[in-house]
């Protein structure tokens, strides 16, 4: 039987703010100065530091919401969407509890929310994760972390805060409610981008996956990053690792990791990626995708191995 894997996730680019998702994080580490000016206002995030694994799960939730989710209308007299609840495992109040758990305030309470019923297995598949027993616990843990993150949005004198998502589950069956920003980008008419999950599954490194998501928000098909001017590796590093201060040696290591990620992305059909001797990275997404020949694939794999070996050698020298 063919696996039911979502092809892409529709996503709000607000959730690609620098530092919200990073390659790895220490247990209990908090977000560090994650915020920016956005769409005539500002946005700030508070909560546990999220990683590439969290982003994979959130994209999986967004993909399932786009396919099977329902928009819960919030009104002045019905702020929690009581006009619709999911019948999850014969519990008609399960969907309502999921929406209530968002704990939205002020204007956010009157915004739309999205709610989806899906299996943990489907999330694991869309997230590109394994499907063993421990992985079911892991996806619940990742969702729990995502639920701790609070988004604050302000435009002018008016602002509101709400949790990123909430969820209830019984075994493999889940009911998930998404923040109003994600709801409107997936099921409404708000600004959104599309992240290819099929492409993401072909990327092995967490840096490559985060960079791919960021690039998907900044390059449309048929165009290139900054009209072909590209971006410095140190600039891309800020988009991937955020604004947390680090030493010069860590900055050097990140440049190597970015070069490896760039080679990975360049191996994807539909992408062209390179980095020059000045550490300027260039990316483009041609409209017409040509399948690479076996010889081209071997050459790209050879380049990826060379970058990996250089990174390993540099790391060994650093430890001496």
């Amino acid at each position: 039987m063919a696996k039911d894997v979502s092809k892409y996730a529709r996503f709000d680019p607000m959730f690609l703010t620098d530092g919200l998702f990073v390659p790895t994080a220490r247990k209990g580490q908090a977000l560090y100065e994650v915020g920016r000016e956005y769409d005539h206002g500002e946005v700030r995030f508070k909560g546990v530091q999220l990683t590439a694994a969290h982003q994979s799960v959130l994209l999986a939730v967004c993909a399932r919401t786009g396919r099977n989710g329902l928009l819960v209308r919030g009104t002045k007299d019905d702020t929690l969407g009581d006009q619709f609840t999911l019948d999850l495992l014969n519990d008609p109040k399960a969907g309502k509890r999921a929406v209530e758990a968002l704990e939205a305030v002020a204007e956010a309470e009157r915004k739309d929310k999205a709610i989806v019923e899906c299996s943990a297995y489907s999330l694991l598949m869309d997230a590109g994760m394994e499907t063993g027993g421990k992985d079911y616990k892991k996806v619940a843990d990742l969702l729990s972390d995502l639920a701790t993150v609070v988004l604050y949005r302000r435009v002018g004198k008016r602002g509101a805060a709400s949790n990123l998502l909430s969820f209830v589950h019984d075994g493999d069956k889940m009911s998930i409610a998404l923040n109003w920003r994600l709801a409107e980008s997936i099921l409404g008419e708000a600004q959104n981008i599309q992240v290819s999950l099929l492409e993401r599954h072909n990327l092995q490194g967490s840096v490559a996956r985060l960079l791919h998501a960021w690039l998907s928000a900044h390059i449309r098909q048929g165009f290139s990053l900054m009209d072909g001017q590209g971006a410095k590796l140190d600039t891309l590093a800020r988009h991937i690792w955020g604004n947390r201060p680090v030493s010069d040696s860590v900055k050097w290591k990140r440049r190597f990791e970015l070069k490896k990620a760039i080679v990975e992305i360049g191996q994807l059909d539909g992408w062209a990626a390179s980095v020059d001797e000045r550490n300027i990275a260039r990316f483009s997404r041609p409209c017409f995708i040509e399948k690479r020949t076996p010889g081209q694939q071997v050459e790209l794999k050879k380049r990826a191995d060379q970058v990996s070996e250089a990174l390993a050698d540099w790391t060994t020298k650093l430890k001496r």
Side-chain angles (χ1 to χ4, degrees):
M1 185 174 63
K3 295 180 179 179
D4 179 26
V5 180
S6 301
K7 295 181 179 180
Y8 67 89
R10 191 172 284 116
F11 198 58
D12 186 335
M14 174 188 289
F15 294 91
L16 293 172
T17 298
D18 296 352
L20 181 59
F21 298 98
V22 298
T24 59
R26 298 191 308 273
K27 185 176 182 180
Q29 190 174 30
L31 292 171
Y32 179 82
E33 295 184 0
V34 179
R36 59 170 165 160
E37 294 182 359
Y38 187 85
D39 194 19
H40 308 294
E42 70 167 317
V43 58
R44 285 186 280 131
F45 294 87
K46 298 290 184 182
V48 67
Q49 178 64 66
L50 303 177
T51 67
H54 292 95
Q55 187 183 75
S56 292
V57 170
L58 183 58
L59 287 170
V61 173
C62 291
R64 290 290 158 177
T65 301
R67 295 175 60 182
N68 305 309
L70 291 171
L71 195 63
V72 180
R73 295 292 182 183
T75 67
K76 182 178 180 180
D77 299 320
D78 185 15
T79 61
L80 295 178
D82 289 340
Q83 69 273 29
F84 176 77
T85 55
L86 279 179
D87 181 11
L88 176 64
L89 299 177
N90 300 316
D91 182 356
K93 296 182 180 180
K96 177 183 174 183
R97 287 201 305 273
V99 175
E100 287 177 336
L102 283 170
E103 298 176 351
V105 298
E107 269 311 296
E109 289 184 334
R110 294 190 284 275
K111 295 289 187 179
D112 301 337
K113 301 172 184 68
I115 191 164
V116 64
E117 185 181 43
C118 62
S119 67
Y121 177 81
S122 67
L123 292 183
L124 289 169
M125 293 298 298
D126 283 356
M129 299 169 63
E130 299 295 327
T131 55
K134 63 181 182 180
D135 298 297
Y136 284 83
K137 180 181 182 302
K138 184 176 181 180
V139 76
D141 290 341
L142 292 171
L143 284 170
S144 296
D145 290 340
L146 287 164
T148 71
V149 174
V150 176
L151 160 67
Y152 171 74
R153 174 82 170 118
R154 181 187 64 80
V155 178
K157 295 182 178 180
R158 306 182 73 178
S162 65
N163 293 77
L164 184 56
L165 59 78
S166 66
F167 74 104
V168 294
H169 77 95
D170 190 330
D172 183 53
K173 297 183 178 180
M174 293 188 166
S175 176
I176 305 171
L178 283 176
N179 174 278
W180 59 273
R181 286 288 314 192
L182 285 169
E184 292 183 351
S185 67
I186 298 169
L187 298 174
E189 299 179 353
Q191 180 184 6
N192 67 76
I193 62 166
Q194 289 188 6
V195 178
S196 170
L197 300 185
L198 300 183
E199 290 178 348
R200 187 180 177 93
H201 294 168
N202 285 321
L203 299 172
Q204 301 303 312
S206 58
V207 176
R209 290 175 179 174
L210 291 173
L211 181 58
H212 173 263
W214 186 87
L215 291 170
S216 296
H218 291 84
I219 310 175
R220 292 180 295 167
Q221 282 194 337
F223 292 84
S224 57
L225 183 64
M226 298 293 291
D227 291 327
Q229 297 181 43
K232 295 180 179 179
L233 290 185
D234 288 344
T235 299
L236 294 177
R238 187 175 67 252
H239 297 317
I240 302 303
W241 282 277
N243 301 305
R244 203 183 301 272
V246 294
S247 65
D248 288 341
S249 62
V250 172
K251 291 179 182 179
W252 275 101
K253 182 179 179 181
R254 288 178 176 178
R255 291 178 194 137
F256 274 106
E257 291 178 343
L258 278 168
K259 288 178 181 179
K260 182 179 178 181
I262 290 166
V263 173
E264 273 201 77
I265 292 173
Q267 291 177 310
L268 296 173
D269 289 323
W271 287 84
S274 64
V275 59
D276 62 23
E277 66 279 358
R278 296 177 302 158
N279 284 334
I280 302 294
R282 291 180 172 83
F283 305 87
S284 61
R285 302 177 69 184
C287 287
F288 300 101
I289 300 174
E290 292 186 13
K291 294 290 185 180
R292 296 191 174 95
T293 65
Q296 289 173 321
Q297 293 284 15
V298 170
E299 181 61 28
L300 286 170
K301 179 64 166 59
K302 181 179 178 181
R303 285 168 54 196
D305 291 342
Q306 289 173 343
V307 173
S308 298
E309 290 174 5
L311 178 59
D313 291 342
W314 185 88
T315 303
T316 301
K317 293 177 181 178
L318 186 66
K319 291 179 179 179
R320 289 175 180 173

